[in-house]
């Protein structure tokens, strides 16, 4: 195993000045990209900014771009970056000029694409959450605590299982549509809509309401079936497939 | 300084904070502040499930809230407050049904009812689950309902200090992480729901954000820390990263083996085996490793291979992913390398004797969830009871405060004075950190974590803990001299992590002091020099107050009277 690893890191003060800074980080077995980011903050620059929380790929905080691939910093082992199988057919993401990137030996660290950068690797996710709220992805029935609970068969539950495990990390916003259309609701938001559309407990009326909210030019209709979202999603949610399923549902209702 | 005014402020947006915020926002003007976006909270990492005596399975038909309470009290090694436990277990079926009603995607039985699985220390299969990502399912459900109701969130705001006026809580100073400004949140009711503080230990299953910000702030305004010596070491954390491997893995039939291929739990808990409570399984594993029967002297095996691919994929998909991502092991083919690691804090912000559940001695200040000590877990928490605690008492505190009605604030003048005084202390502190020439916070944090790991884990004794105290006292001094740039306030997590360490230093010290004071073995607090439980002297809660000359230890009676105190055996 190598003793150290070189990184080339996107730095942005938030005032429009972008630079790429090189750092060399000592390696330990099992070290992840997130560990390296902390090492940089602890030993080189305490103001270096990135988001984090669980370090176990469940909270969705630490989405960044590693060697041009959107990924969670916590679940990416440093030793595997140059050899792991990467999703294919992703668009080219451009954040700034880095003519001196030594592709073989340096790991390139950049923020998530298609979101404005606040500072370093921290992006503004306001629109991400705004569109989440717009879809209104929640049960609208009056909740109560009187037993028994409403029933659902294991098969009905399985139908939404893939969709409920979305961690809202924002990796799917690497979609080329997000790059050009700032009003696009986004793959995560539409997958979240599908999570409720496919829930056997939903009422017909509620289903209709959700469909009305997502079946618009900047919603389901904006999806151009690149399926980048399916390929970068760290949880196997397959938002693109979900969007297709909504389309089918729309056809059925016609 | 920007000033925001509320009827109540909730700090923390995990399950406790969200449930309290949801309830309170129905009628009051409430702000929920969180240092991360709500769905990033650590509740989302909970895997196994939430306990409720629903009796959905044929083999669980006889289960009742009273039996659930008994198991909890027995598991707590008779340190839990029994009235609070009874309240929690009676509310349990209702709170789980409410979650379902809100849309939580629970796993289901063939009957269509919520699925339940067996968990350690429980008489019946009563742990309701959503695969092995129950916390995630519950957290997203509650967040959805909060969005639906329009709960007012202040995301990426860091609680720095609380302030009081006229003898009651008056609000808090928070750092708006995005702008770098200090903001005063004034409110006559503050509910702390800041979660666990496992990051005091170097090896912990906790999220990196679990640093006890509410605990530190409450202690600084004079609220005691309670039962801090009771730290749950989870028996099964992943070798290398200490990420949690759910008790559900053993609930589904996972077996523990040492390097000799022995199912060693036979020696330690012949009846309950792998499903003995966490403290017992953790000590058993530690003993095997210490006595040379571990792999690489560091871990043992948790074997799921006999469960087969389908069952693992269906019931434990998250565990499989974690093992593959973080240890390179597919549990369908190979056993998972595991070792014990810090997991949960039974202790926390001290509560008032005979007060409302979660009420502190400072009027208007409440604490719920893992940051608090109510105490429903006593000396050892049972799996599946923490998710339960968060939501039951989140709802409870909301309902209780609404019923009591809005509190009268302190006078405008004294609030303003208190607020400015609090801000002054913070500004002075940051100036000092900026000009100091001492150590970097990270060095102190590393040393603190290693010390707690080494001397305050599953086995404890007097000389070790005295060593630990000396080290921590030295680190407290070092901390006063830390050096870190503080002039750039915007999105400065280096600064935030130093503020977090400020909280963790006091938590670490209180943990050591409590553990030295308690000369007995009870639940998670296991002393090789005092190997038995001593009810005569120590069936009391430890209360650590900030005194003139440092930490002062007092006690608080345990609420008994429902269940007779017995010896605890499995």
């Amino acid at each position: 195993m190598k003793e150290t690893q070189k990184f080339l890191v996107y730095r942005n003060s938030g005032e429009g000045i972008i630079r790429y800074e090189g750092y060399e980080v000592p390696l330990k077995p099992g070290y992840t990209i997130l560990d390296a980011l902390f090492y940089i903050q602890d030993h080189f620059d305490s103001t270096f900014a990135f988001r984090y929380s669980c370090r176990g790929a469940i909270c969705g905080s630490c989405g960044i771009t590693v060697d041009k691939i959107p990924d969670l910093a916590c679940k990416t082992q440093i030793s595997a970056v140059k050899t792991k199988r990467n999703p294919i057919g992703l668009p080219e993401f451009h954040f700034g000029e880095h003519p001196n990137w030594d592709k073989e030996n340096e790991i390139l660290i950049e923020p998530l694409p298609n979101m404005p950068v606040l500072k370093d690797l921290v992006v503004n996710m306001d629109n991400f959450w705004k569109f989440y709220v717009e879809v209104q992805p929640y049960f609208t029935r009056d909740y109560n605590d009187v037993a028994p609970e409403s029933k659902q068969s294991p098969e009905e539950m399985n139908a939404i299982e893939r969709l409920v495990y979305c961690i809202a990390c924002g990796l799917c916003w690497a979609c080329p549509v997000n790059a050009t259309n700032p009003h696009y609701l986004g793959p995560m938001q539409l997958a979240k809509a599908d999570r409720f559309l496919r829930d056997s407990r939903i009422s017909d009326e509620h289903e209709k309401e959700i469909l009305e909210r997502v079946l618009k030019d900047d919603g389901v209709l904006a999806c151009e079936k690149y399926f980048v979202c399916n390929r970068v999603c760290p949880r196997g949610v397959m938002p693109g497939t979900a969007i297709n399923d909504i389309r089918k549902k729309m056809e059925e209702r016609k | 300084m920007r000033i925001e005014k509320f009827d109540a402020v909730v700090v923390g947006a995990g399950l406790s904070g969200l449930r309290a915020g949801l309830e309170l926002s129905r009628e009051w003007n409430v702000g929920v502040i969180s240092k991360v976006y709500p769905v990033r909270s650590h509740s989302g990492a909970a895997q196994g499930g939430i306990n409720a005596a629903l009796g959905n399975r044929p083999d669980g038909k006889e289960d009742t809230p009273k039996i659930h309470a008994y198991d909890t009290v027995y598991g707590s090694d008779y340190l839990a407050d029994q009235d609070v436990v009874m309240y929690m277990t009676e509310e349990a079926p209702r709170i789980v049904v409410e979650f379902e009603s809100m849309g939580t995607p629970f796993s289901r039985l063939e009957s269509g009812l919520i699925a339940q699985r067996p968990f350690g220390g429980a008489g019946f299969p009563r742990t309701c689950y959503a695969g092995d990502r129950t916390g995630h399912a519950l957290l997203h459900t509650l967040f959805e309902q909060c969005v639906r109701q329009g709960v007012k969130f202040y995301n990426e705001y860091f609680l720095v200090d609380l302030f009081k006026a006229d003898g009651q809580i008056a609000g808090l100073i928070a750092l708006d992480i995005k702008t770098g400004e200090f903001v005063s949140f004034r409110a006559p009711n503050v509910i702390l729901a800041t979660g666990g503080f496992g990051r005091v230990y170097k090896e912990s299953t906790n999220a990196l954000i679990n640093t006890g910000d509410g605990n530190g702030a409450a202690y600084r305004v004079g609220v005691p820390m309670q039962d801090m010596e009771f730290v749950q070491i989870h028996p099964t954390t992943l070798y290398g990263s200490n990420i949690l491997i759910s008790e559900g893995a053993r609930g589904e039939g996972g077996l523990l083996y040492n390097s000799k291929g022995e199912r060693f739990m036979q020696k330690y808990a012949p009846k309950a085996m792998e499903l003995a409570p966490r403290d017992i399984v953790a000590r058993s594993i530690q003993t095997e490793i210490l006595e040379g029967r571990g792999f690489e002297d560091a871990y043992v095996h948790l074997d799921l291979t006999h469960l087969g691919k389908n069952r693992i994929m269906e019931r434990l998909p998250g565990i499989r992913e974690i093992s593959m991502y973080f240890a390179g092991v597919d549990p369908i083919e190979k056993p998972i390398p595991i070792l014990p690691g810090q997991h949960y804090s039974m202790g926390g912000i001290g509560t008032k004797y005979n007060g409302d559940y979660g009420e502190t001695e400072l009027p208007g200040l409440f604490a719920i969830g893992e940051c608090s000590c109510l105490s429903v877990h006593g000396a050892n928490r049972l799996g599946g009871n923490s998710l339960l605690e968060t939501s039951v008492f989140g709802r409870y505190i909301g309902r209780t405060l609404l019923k009591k009605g809005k509190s009268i604030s302190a006078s405008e003048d004294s609030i303003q004075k208190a607020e400015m005084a609090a801000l002054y202390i913070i500004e002075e502190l940051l100036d000092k950190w900026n000009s100091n020439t001492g150590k970097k916070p990270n060095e102190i944090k590393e040393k603190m974590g290693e010390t707690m790991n080494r001397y305050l884990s599953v086995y404890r004794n007097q000389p070790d803990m005295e060593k630990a105290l000396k080290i921590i006292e030295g680190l407290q001094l070092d901390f006063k001299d830390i050096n870190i740039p503080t002039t750039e306030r915007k999105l400065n997590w280096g600064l935030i992590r130093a503020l977090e360490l400020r909280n963790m230093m006091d938590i670490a010290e209180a943990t050591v002091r409590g553990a030295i004071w308690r000369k007995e073995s009870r639940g998670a607090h296991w002393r090789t020099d005092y190997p038995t439980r001593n009810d005569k002297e120590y069936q009391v809660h430890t209360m650590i107050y900030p005194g003139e000359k440092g930490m002062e230890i007092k006690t608080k009676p345990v609420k008994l009277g429902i269940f007779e105190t017995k010896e605890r055996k499995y």
Side-chain angles (χ1 to χ4, degrees), chain B residues 61-73:
Chain B
K61 280 271 173 281
E62 308 294 313
D63 200 7
T64 65
K66 182 97 191 242
I67 301 173
H68 180 183
Y70 171 77
D71 287 344
T72 302
V73 169

Side-chain angles (χ1 to χ4, degrees), chain A residues 91-163:
Chain A
E92 260 188 52
F93 305 114
H94 186 80
F95 303 91
E97 298 305 320
H98 46 74
N100 302 322
W101 179 30
D102 173 3
K103 225 172 173 171
E104 300 276 293
N105 299 305
E106 272 180 331
I107 296 176
L108 183 64
I109 302 289
E110 294 170 307
L112 279 186
N114 304 334
M115 297 188 201
V117 174
L118 292 172
K119 184 180 169 188
D120 299 336
L121 306 179
V122 178
V123 292
N124 183 337
M125 292 185 81
D126 288 355
N127 274 349
F128 185 86
W129 294 112
K130 194 180 119 196
F131 295 151
Y132 173 100
V133 174
E134 231 166 77
V135 169
Q136 300 184 24
Y138 40 71
F139 262 45
T140 51
R141 61 187 185 185
D142 285 334
Y143 56 83
N144 68 77
D145 65 359
V146 184
E149 65 271 34
S150 55
K151 289 189 177 182
Q152 194 170 35
S153 72
E155 293 71 34
E156 285 165 340
M157 163 58 210
N158 287 346
I160 57 169
E161 183 156 29
R162 183 191 97 229
L163 298 162

Side-chain angles (χ1 to χ4, degrees), chain B residues 83-144:
Chain B
D83 58 336
V84 200
V85 172
M86 276 302 292
Y87 177 80
M88 177 175 80
T89 60
E90 275 169 6
E91 283 285 282
R94 285 192 283 273
I95 210 83
V96 169
V97 169
E98 186 186 75
F99 268 122
E100 194 284 329
S101 174
M102 289 174 172
T104 301
F106 282 109
S107 296
R108 300 287 177 151
L109 299 169
E110 283 305 324
S111 64
L113 295 171
I114 294 170
Q116 297 186 281
R117 60 164 57 122
F119 246 45
F124 292 100
R126 72 165 71 95
T127 306
C128 310
Y129 61 95
D132 56 358
R133 296 137 166 169
T134 313
H136 175 272
L138 299 180
L139 182 66
H140 279 258
T141 302
L142 262 189
F143 180 63
E144 286 155 21

Side-chain angles (χ1 to χ4, degrees), chain B residues 190-221:
Chain B
V190 173
I191 296 109
L192 297 174
T194 56
F197 35 91
R199 284 291 146 189
V200 169
Y201 283 75
K202 188 175 177 208
E203 287 169 2
S204 169
T205 64
N206 281 197
L208 304 173
I209 58 170
N210 289 13
T211 53
D213 307 326
N215 302 68
Y219 182 74
R220 285 192 294 275
V221 290

Side-chain angles (χ1 to χ4, degrees), chain A:
Chain A
M1 206 179 108
K2 283 196 297 184
E3 280 182 6
T4 61
Q5 172 64 50
K6 284 183 179 161
F7 286 87
L8 189 62
V9 181
Y10 173 96
R11 301 294 309 266
N12 181 341
S13 64
E15 276 109 41
I17 305 157
I18 295 166
R19 65 183 204 278
Y20 283 78
E21 193 99 29
Y23 301 101
E24 193 161 346
V25 172
L27 285 182
K28 281 185 200 163
Y31 237 41
T32 64
I33 295 287
L34 186 64
D35 291 317
L37 300 184
F38 275 112
Y39 190 92
I40 294 169
Q41 195 179 75
D42 284 338
H43 295 89
F44 298 117
D45 182 356
S46 66
T47 69
F48 171 46
F50 56 93
R51 288 195 179 101
Y52 60 89
S53 171
C54 79
R55 68 79 177 81
I58 188 73
C59 79
S61 299
C62 66
I64 55 166
T65 303
V66 181
D67 275 9
K68 298 293 178 189
I69 311 287
D71 210 340
L72 299 177
C74 74
K75 84 174 236 294
T76 309
Q77 304 268 327
I78 293 174
S79 56
V81 170
K82 298 293 178 191
T83 52
K84 73 182 166 79
R85 236 177 63 202
N86 285 321
I88 50 161
L90 300 189
E92 260 188 52
F93 305 114
H94 186 80
F95 303 91
E97 298 305 320
H98 46 74
N100 302 322
W101 179 30
D102 173 3
K103 225 172 173 171
E104 300 276 293
N105 299 305
E106 272 180 331
I107 296 176
L108 183 64
I109 302 289
E110 294 170 307
L112 279 186
N114 304 334
M115 297 188 201
V117 174
L118 292 172
K119 184 180 169 188
D120 299 336
L121 306 179
V122 178
V123 292
N124 183 337
M125 292 185 81
D126 288 355
N127 274 349
F128 185 86
W129 294 112
K130 194 180 119 196
F131 295 151
Y132 173 100
V133 174
E134 231 166 77
V135 169
Q136 300 184 24
Y138 40 71
F139 262 45
T140 51
R141 61 187 185 185
D142 285 334
Y143 56 83
N144 68 77
D145 65 359
V146 184
E149 65 271 34
S150 55
K151 289 189 177 182
Q152 194 170 35
S153 72
E155 293 71 34
E156 285 165 340
M157 163 58 210
N158 287 346
I160 57 169
E161 183 156 29
R162 183 191 97 229
L163 298 162
V164 299
Y165 291 128
C166 167
I167 56 173
C169 60
L171 262 57
C172 56
W173 274 42
C175 170
V177 179
N178 285 90
T180 53
N181 180 358
H183 307 291
Y184 177 42
L185 287 178
M188 177 270 175
Q189 290 68 10
L190 295 171
K192 186 89 187 174
D194 194 40
R195 172 253 175 274
F196 285 93
L197 291 172
R198 292 169 73 88
D199 194 315
S200 61
R201 296 170 293 178
I202 197 176
S203 68
D204 280 351
E205 196 187 334
H206 187 196
E207 183 183 286
K208 216 177 111 206
E209 284 167 16
I210 294 184
L211 279 173
E212 275 167 17
R213 280 192 289 274
V214 298
L215 289 176
K216 54 176 194 173
D217 289 348
D218 291 325
V220 168
L221 306 178
C223 167
E224 291 178 33
K225 303 188 186 179
Y226 291 106
F227 295 107
V228 165
C229 53
N230 279 11
R231 294 198 286 276
V232 297
C233 176
R235 309 298 308 187
V237 173
M238 302 201 286
T241 308
I243 297 169
N244 258 357
D245 288 343
I246 300 177
R247 270 203 189 95
K248 274 184 219 151
K249 202 159 205 131
M250 171 178 73
E251 300 294 323
E252 282 163 22
R253 287 181 75 99
K254 265 183 190 165

